[in-house]
Amino acid sequence: MTQDSYVKGIKRIIINEDEIRMKISEAGKYIDSLYDGKPILLVGILKGCFMFLADLARAVSVPCEVAFMAAQSYYGGTDSSGSVDINMDLKQDISGYHVIIAEDIIDTGRTLAEIVRRLKERDPLSLRVITLLDKPERRAVDFKADISLFTIEDVFVVGYGLDCGEYYRNLPYIAEFNTETIN
Ligand code: IMP
Ligand code: MG
């Protein structure tokens, strides 16, 4: 990746840093009101969650633990379409926890549907899902997050944790990716 093609990949900013900060602050207050002093376990889905989770964790005031899972989804093509692999699982028993899963985006919904299905089997006290972004037009399975901070159209986005070929995760904003720069 050259500096030139890297920069050309960023087509336009669709959600800026101030907008992200404001929504996360609101989400933190909402979570505080939902759990009312009860301890929570924030479960981030790597890698896309890393920036969102870091900011969300700082926006809540209830007692909060943090844990991570890693998931990978495959679509069509050579791989079996729609299957989701859990590459890294939680270490702890979650049966005594109010769990909130934090994910970067719901696209087809397959990743979150699978993660929720698995975590429910482990009997948490409660389970909710918060996502930074929601792309409802792309949904392939029936799944809705409890909280999504921004609904976006069907464009590929990068930044604030989201990548294209592992690049752009470190951008502090969400940008539409310029697909013409691929190949
Ligand atoms: P889903 O299983 O189709 O809902 O998609 C889950 C994963 O696909 C997300 O966690 C992201 O890693 C990735 N993804 C979906 N849409 C985008 C996008 O627009 N930009 C970057 N990654 C995306
Ligand atoms: Mg990704």
Side-chain angles (χ1 to χ4, degrees):
M1 169 77 81
T2 62
Q3 179 72 28
D4 189 45
S5 59
Y6 177 78
V7 172
K8 281 189 180 138
I10 305 167
K11 192 170 180 182
R12 66 188 174 105
I13 295 176
I14 61 170
I15 306 169
N16 68 35
E17 292 174 68
D18 284 343
E19 292 169 310
I20 294 171
R21 198 178 308 118
M22 275 164 51
K23 282 282 188 190
I24 290 181
S25 162
E26 283 171 22
K29 291 193 180 92
Y30 181 55
I31 288 171
D32 287 345
S33 74
L34 284 176
Y35 294 89
D36 192 25
K38 293 192 204 84
I40 59 171
L41 175 65
L42 270 183
V43 175
I45 311 302
L46 293 170
K47 297 177 190 171
C49 75
F50 85 99
M51 225 177 255
F52 176 44
L53 186 87
D55 285 339
L56 183 66
R58 282 178 279 191
V60 298
S61 306
V62 290
C64 173
E65 286 183 47
V66 170
F68 295 96
M69 293 175 77
Q72 195 165 9
S73 17
Y74 300 97
Y75 306 98
T78 53
D79 291 304
S80 59
S81 78
S83 76
V84 177
D85 274 354
I86 306 296
N87 301 328
M88 188 180 97
D89 206 339
L90 296 173
K91 309 275 183 286
Q92 69 265 66
D93 175 1
I94 59 167
S95 61
Y97 283 97
H98 291 287
V99 174
I100 305 178
I101 300 170
E103 167 71 311
D104 53 358
I105 186 167
I106 322 181
D107 188 35
T108 65
R110 287 194 179 103
T111 307
L112 279 170
E114 178 61 16
I115 288 172
V116 163
R117 189 187 68 75
R118 291 195 192 201
L119 294 194
K120 271 188 179 160
E121 289 173 351
R122 302 179 198 172
D123 238 11
L125 293 174
S126 67
L127 182 62
R128 285 192 170 95
V129 174
I130 181 167
T131 74
L132 178 70
L133 306 174
D134 182 8
K135 249 193 235 179
E137 286 168 49
R138 294 257 309 162
R139 206 71 92 250
V141 296
D142 185 22
F143 185 87
K144 218 181 163 320
D146 297 282
I147 311 168
S148 286
L149 305 198
F150 300 95
T151 299
I152 61 169
E153 12 168 335
D154 182 11
V155 290
F156 197 81
V157 293
V158 292
Y160 200 74
L162 293 110
D163 73 305
C164 182
E166 295 298 327
Y167 286 105
Y168 303 106
R169 290 192 197 275
N170 58 319
L171 296 177
Y173 47 77
I174 309 278
E176 178 176 348
F177 179 69
N178 184 1
T179 45
E180 285 161 25
T181 62
I182 294 179
N183 61 49

